[in-house]
Amino acid sequence: MTLLSVSDLACARGGVPVLRGVSFALRPGEALILRGPNGSGKTTLLRTLAGLQPPLAGRIAADPDSLAYAAHSDGLKPALTAAENLAFWAAVYGNRAGPAAALSAFGIAALATRRAGDLSAGQKRRLALARLLVTGRPVWLLDEPTVSLDAEAVARFADVVRGHLAGGGAAVIATHIALGLDGAPVLDLAPHRALPEAAPAFGDDW
């Protein structure tokens, strides 16, 4: 059973081709680590996989309702409490999961009644990641998820990801942090950069 399959994918950012020839497949329990320097197309690829922008070419095979995307932005409602934020997102995804387990998994259960707008940057990030646990979706698309996290929070996050994989989920993770996901393959996007077309030489047809 394949949860996500990508074949010869080409992606663009702002109409400019960024990536080409990207192919991979994920089955339950598998993770893929995306690597590459800033500007190499990691975010563009994840946004394309999430359905937020169309591919230039190639094929993405996945149930759209199986995908959950965690972007750079925390995507929290500052006037709602931590628990209310998770309850909101659970309802958006049609999941009846309560927030308690997700808050506990990221070590922020004590912040359940605190407004998201009053949290520190690291606490907001943990709350944003806790949202993944209330989506009920098996394929996580994660863009630099450990930004603003201290070492303890990174370890908690890695435990959550390993638990997700052990439960039959899958993940595509853009990160430069070693998360201890033994055996997870790394996809270096540098060889997939879309090179700009060279201008024709003098005398060539335009």
Side-chain angles (χ1 to χ4, degrees), residues 4 46 49-51 67-71 132 139-143 170-173:
L4 173 62
L46 289 169
L49 296 177
L67 305 173
Y69 175 50
L132 293 165
V139 182
W140 293 355
L141 307 173
L142 310 177
D143 195 354
V172 182
I173 311 172

Side-chain angles (χ1 to χ4, degrees), residues 81-91 95-113 127 130-131 133-134:
T81 67
E84 288 169 342
N85 265 279
L86 293 186
F88 169 82
W89 284 108
N95 190 10
R96 296 183 178 180
L103 291 168
S104 179
F106 281 92
I108 51 175
L111 304 177
T113 60
L127 178 57
R131 184 175 58 201
L133 292 172
V134 302

Side-chain angles (χ1 to χ4, degrees), residues 18-107:
V18 174
L19 295 170
R20 64 182 179 184
V22 177
S23 300
F24 64 87
L26 287 179
R27 295 184 294 271
E30 294 182 338
L32 177 70
I33 306 299
L34 301 181
R35 292 277 167 79
N38 292 340
S40 62
K42 299 185 295 295
T43 295
T44 298
L45 174 57
L46 289 169
R47 286 178 54 83
T48 304
L49 296 177
L52 299 178
Q53 58 190 52
L56 289 178
R59 180 172 178 266
I60 301 170
D63 180 353
D65 290 334
S66 71
L67 305 173
Y69 175 50
H72 288 155
S73 171
D74 292 328
L76 303 174
K77 294 184 175 295
L80 298 183
T81 67
E84 288 169 342
N85 265 279
L86 293 186
F88 169 82
W89 284 108
V92 167
Y93 284 96
N95 190 10
R96 296 183 178 180
L103 291 168
S104 179
F106 281 92

